Amino acid sequence: MEILWLDQDDVKFLLDMPSALEAVEMAFAQHGRNKVQMPPKSYLYFTEHNGDLRTMPAFLEEEDVAGVKVVNVHPENRKVGLPTVMATVILNSTSTGAPLAIMDGTYLTDIRTGAAGGVAARYLARANSSVVGMVGAGNQARTQLEALSNVFDLEQVYVFDLDTSRAEKFKEGMESVACCDITVVDSIQKACDVDILVTTTPSRKPIIKAQWLPEGLHINAIGADARGKEELDPSILQQARVVVDDIAQATHSGEVNVPLSEGYIRQEDVFAQLGQIVAGLHVGRESDAQITVFDSTGLAIQDIVTANLVYKKAKNKGMGSKAKLF
């Protein structure tokens, strides 16, 4: 029995943002219609090493595709020249359970997370949004902006990062992608007076204050993806329309996890899951003045539907190498 092996170069060649946006939007719609099986991601915490390991299985019933992603998050990896996030995705046959493909999931994770932010903003941000603020300038920020540039006609981007040199590199690398001016700012507050705000930090305390936010703002809260992480002042969640990717997962690892545990909000204060809005079961934004928040924890359905897209393209193009299992 042979398995298709696809390394990161293969995945980068085969996966583009427009295709990922389409695939991820479809996955969210199936999630909204309860046509997926996806237990919340499970964690192993390596406290001594300031890291964790997560397993993320999913089955999309309408697509008849299944698999699992294994992914780490180790913020200290930059010091040793490794990515903060590294992942592997395994696709399995639903008829036999046999592994069909193993592929790099690191780049795939960046792209599908960016695509989720793009889908969320499509349904929750104002349709004429053109100014974006970025708090954090790492790999996740790059794909978030790439996705937004595929959904909106952007005119201006403001970026803040604690590491100014990283923000400058972001500007250099992303101006041609976003097709607009990018300005590095020296405070988080200066990145907040925008149409769409994207936060991609590993913060464990609020860094975005409610009084900084203009009416009508949409926030893609991306950074909080594990217990104890939070980027937004809890009072923002009290006044905004809050949409999560998956309620079971968000309550223990998303932006809402700390405000829920400390009693600032209740689970009933979460308006909907994004898939319910994509599927047409709920309305995303009701007015131009409304503040909306998308709490992204990262779903296994995003990984599996995107990996399946890569797998199909690889087979059509005869790419990848084959490994014998037994």
Side-chain angles (χ1 to χ4, degrees):
M1 182 185 149
E2 292 183 326
I3 303 170
L4 186 64
W5 168 258
L6 298 166
D7 63 23
Q8 189 169 101
D9 288 339
D10 295 328
V11 176
K12 284 184 175 180
F13 180 82
L14 294 165
L15 183 59
D16 59 85
M17 184 58 77
S19 297
L21 279 162
E22 182 179 355
V24 168
E25 185 170 8
M26 175 188 65
F28 274 118
Q30 291 186 33
H31 184 253
R33 295 192 294 267
N34 293 318
K35 294 295 184 180
V36 305
Q37 295 180 36
M38 186 185 64
K41 67 178 76 170
S42 59
Y43 291 77
L44 299 175
Y45 295 100
F46 309 135
T47 305
E48 181 181 348
H49 306 289
N50 187 26
D52 61 66
L53 189 70
R54 312 166 190 193
T55 56
M56 303 173 61
F59 171 39
L60 290 89
E61 297 172 2
E62 294 180 359
E63 292 296 296
D64 195 31
V65 296
V68 62
K69 182 174 80 171
V70 180
V71 57
N72 77 294
V73 177
H74 281 66
E76 305 301 321
N77 275 0
R78 296 190 189 99
K79 298 177 182 178
V80 294
L82 290 174
T84 298
V85 177
M86 293 180 283
T88 304
V89 180
I90 304 172
L91 287 180
N92 295 82
S93 166
T94 57
S95 60
T96 67
L100 301 173
I102 301 174
M103 69 185 70
D104 169 72
T106 306
Y107 179 75
L108 185 148
T109 296
D110 288 340
I111 294 294
R112 65 76 149 151
T113 306
V119 172
R122 176 179 287 156
Y123 286 89
L124 295 171
R126 291 174 295 191
N128 62 350
S129 295
S130 61
V131 183
V132 173
M134 311 291 302
V135 178
N139 288 337
Q140 291 287 351
R142 291 173 181 271
T143 56
Q144 288 293 321
L145 183 56
E146 181 181 357
L148 291 175
S149 70
N150 275 268
V151 178
F152 300 93
D153 293 323
L154 302 184
E155 297 177 359
Q156 178 68 54
V157 175
Y158 298 102
V159 59
F160 171 84
D161 195 283
L162 290 173
D163 184 341
T164 304
S165 65
R166 189 186 306 157
E168 292 290 351
K169 289 179 182 178
F170 180 91
K171 169 184 168 68
E172 294 171 9
M174 292 303 296
E175 277 190 325
S176 60
V177 176
C179 298
C180 70
D181 291 331
I182 298 178
T183 301
V184 176
V185 294
D186 59 8
S187 72
I188 294 176
Q189 184 175 356
K190 291 179 181 178
C192 291
D193 189 13
V194 292
D195 299 316
I196 300 171
L197 175 64
V198 182
T199 59
T200 57
T201 77
S203 180
R204 290 183 173 270
K205 61 181 180 179
I207 57 174
I208 308 296
K209 296 184 178 181
Q211 60 264 36
W212 295 344
L213 307 185
E215 68 175 23
L217 176 70
H218 170 66
I219 303 173
N220 276 343
I222 308 299
D225 60 353
R227 184 180 60 204
K229 289 187 176 182
E230 62 175 334
E231 299 178 292
L232 308 183
D233 182 335
S235 64
I236 295 172
L237 304 181
Q238 291 173 333
Q239 62 181 285
R241 170 161 287 189
V242 179
V243 175
V244 300
D245 51 12
D246 180 80
I247 190 64
Q249 195 162 282
T251 54
H252 72 71
S253 62
E255 182 62 42
V256 299
N257 86 94
V258 176
L260 280 170
S261 67
E262 296 183 351
Y264 287 102
I265 61 172
R266 303 167 302 164
Q267 188 166 316
E268 304 87 77
D269 295 324
V270 174
F271 174 71
Q273 297 180 132
L274 179 60
Q276 294 170 320
I277 295 172
V278 175
L281 303 177
H282 292 286
V283 175
R285 170 177 287 272
E286 289 186 319
S287 76
D288 283 348
Q290 188 174 42
I291 292 178
T292 54
V293 173
F294 172 55
D295 179 1
S296 172
T297 59
L299 303 185
I301 55 170
Q302 299 166 229
D303 299 303
I304 301 310
V305 75
T306 308
N308 188 56
L309 173 67
V310 171
Y311 175 60
K312 287 181 176 179
K313 287 185 175 182
K315 288 183 67 178
N316 287 338
K317 294 180 178 294
M319 289 183 61
S321 55
K322 294 181 179 179
K324 188 176 180 181
L325 186 60
F326 56 80

